[in-house]
Amino acid sequence: MINPYNILKLLSNFIFDKFSYNAPSPITCDEEQIARNLFNCLIKILESSSYLFESESTLDVDDESTYSDDEDSAPKTPTFKQLDVALDTDYQIIDDDFNLDQKFSLEYMKSAVDYFDEKDALTGKRKRSWTSVQHRFRRIPNPQCITRFRKYISTGGTKKHKIDDIDIYVYDQFGNARYQLLAVHDIDLRRWGLQKARELDLNSFEASENWLLAFKHRHRISSRKITQLVTRKHIESRQEIEQAAASFVDETNKVIEKYSPNEVLNSDQVGINLEPYGNRTLTHMGEQSTWSS
């Protein structure tokens, strides 16, 4: 069991060893607040069944509040004192494909830039230094990322972000089409992808065969034979069916009277559909029945 009086005695010894003795002075508000915080921490430790101490080391500096995105605004230093950028990992060029595309979402970039750019209403200057920004957004390695973030935000995100948006759009279109029992083919997926790419100004996107195969594999989409067909026009009640049949016979007889029997062909057994349709469609894997209209 931990004895708080032993802790107090040891703490007093540490203070005497570290600092020279000073004459007694009136207790200030700051000193009282510090003592109260230490007391509360000690109480929490004594009341807990287990505890873990963590330490954190930083290399923060205080003069980074003058940071600006413009390179010309940086103070000039003699040549022999300038850092070797090639050897400094904090200032090496960030690989777009690895860091920005895979580590930072577009929403994360916007939040970081907005937080960094927020200005004081009275002074008109930035409210926060780079140190405070990095303290909140710990995944950002250096200030150069903020400039890159602005670039990608202005263009609607990185290439990977746009590819992801295309993927979401095409899958939504596919899901909506299948919900309406419409047949979907490869050309439809590619057409939707190219349409979204043009909206995002991603002219390098070609909806290639590799992209198409990866899309179908990622969403478990395959080509299946249509097993259930729903006609676009249907009649609900038997009475309506009989009325429609009688009306069809009457109208047909009126037309047949204008021709000789040799000019009339019976198409009852001829395989001609009023509404032509394909017998396959792209749909989700594992469906027990594949419907189409």
Side-chain angles (χ1 to χ4, degrees):
M1 180 177 179
I2 299 177
N3 188 339
Y5 292 98
N6 289 339
I7 296 177
L8 178 61
K9 182 178 179 180
L10 292 172
L11 180 60
S12 178
N13 293 337
F14 292 152
I15 293 176
F16 277 113
D17 293 340
K18 179 66 176 180
F19 304 99
S20 59
Y21 176 76
N22 293 326
S25 61
I27 298 176
T28 65
C29 294
D30 291 340
E31 292 170 345
E32 182 179 358
Q33 184 64 35
I34 293 174
R36 188 176 300 277
N37 290 337
L38 290 174
F39 175 75
N40 292 334
C41 290
L42 180 59
I43 292 299
K44 291 181 180 179
I45 293 175
L46 295 176
E47 293 178 348
S48 61
S49 58
S50 62
Y51 48 87
L52 177 66
F53 293 101
E54 294 184 357
S55 60
E56 180 179 354
S57 300
T58 64
L59 297 176
D60 295 342
V61 294
D62 297 330
D63 59 348
E64 291 183 351
S65 59
T66 58
Y67 166 78
S68 173
D69 292 332
D70 299 329
E71 295 180 356
D72 294 338
S73 62
K76 302 297 182 180
T77 57
T79 304
F80 63 88
K81 290 186 178 181
Q82 291 183 357
L83 295 175
D84 188 348
V85 177
L87 299 178
D88 191 345
T89 56
D90 283 345
Y91 291 92
Q92 287 180 359
I93 297 177
I94 302 172
D95 181 72
D96 294 344
D97 294 334
F98 177 75
N99 286 294
L100 297 183
D101 287 355
Q102 299 186 12
K103 286 191 173 182
F104 304 112
S105 65
L106 188 59
E107 290 73 18
Y108 186 91
M109 294 182 184
K110 291 180 179 179
S111 299
V113 172
D114 292 342
Y115 188 78
F116 178 79
D117 289 340
E118 187 176 357
K119 295 184 178 181
D120 191 300
L122 298 178
T123 63
K125 297 181 179 180
R126 288 195 180 100
K127 295 175 61 175
R128 303 176 181 90
S129 65
W130 165 246
T131 302
S132 60
V133 174
Q134 193 176 36
H135 182 75
R136 177 168 178 175
F137 299 90
R138 296 181 180 273
R139 294 166 53 197
I140 303 178
N142 57 61
Q144 289 181 333
C145 286
I146 298 296
T147 303
R148 290 177 177 269
F149 287 174
R150 287 198 184 94
K151 172 185 174 183
Y152 289 123
I153 292 173
S154 64
T155 58
T158 64
K159 182 177 180 180
K160 182 179 183 300
H161 293 149
K162 294 181 180 181
I163 293 295
D164 291 342
D165 289 342
I166 292 174
D167 186 278
I168 295 173
Y169 175 80
V170 173
Y171 187 71
D172 287 344
Q173 292 293 105
F174 168 78
N176 183 55
R178 290 303 299 142
Y179 178 78
Q180 300 181 47
L181 302 181
L182 300 177
V184 180
H185 304 284
D186 288 355
I187 191 173
D188 298 312
L189 300 181
R190 302 180 72 173
R191 174 168 52 84
W192 291 329
L194 291 172
Q195 177 183 347
K196 188 62 177 179
R198 299 301 175 263
E199 293 179 5
L200 299 175
D201 292 329
L202 187 60
N203 297 323
S204 60
F205 180 79
E206 298 179 352
S208 63
E209 289 292 338
N210 291 335
W211 173 84
L212 183 62
L213 291 175
F215 177 86
K216 292 191 290 186
H217 177 75
R218 183 164 52 252
H219 296 289
R220 293 181 55 80
I221 295 173
S222 64
S223 177
R224 295 172 60 92
K225 184 177 180 179
I226 297 173
T227 58
Q228 301 289 340
L229 183 64
V230 179
T231 57
R232 296 180 182 274
K233 298 180 181 179
H234 59 279
I235 302 175
E236 299 293 342
S237 66
R238 181 177 182 83
Q239 182 179 1
E240 291 178 343
I241 294 176
E242 293 176 350
Q243 291 178 353
S247 176
F248 174 78
V249 172
D250 292 340
E251 295 296 329
T252 303
N253 288 334
K254 293 178 182 179
V255 175
I256 291 177
E257 292 176 354
K258 301 178 182 180
Y259 300 90
S260 65
N262 295 332
E263 296 175 323
V264 178
L265 301 177
N266 185 0
S267 62
D268 184 50
Q269 301 298 325
V270 179
I272 299 177
N273 297 317
L274 179 62
E275 296 180 0
Y277 66 94
N279 62 348
R280 300 190 70 85
T281 181
L282 294 177
T283 189
H284 297 96
M285 295 181 182
E287 286 185 347
Q288 294 183 354
S289 299
T290 301
W291 294 71
S292 182
S293 61

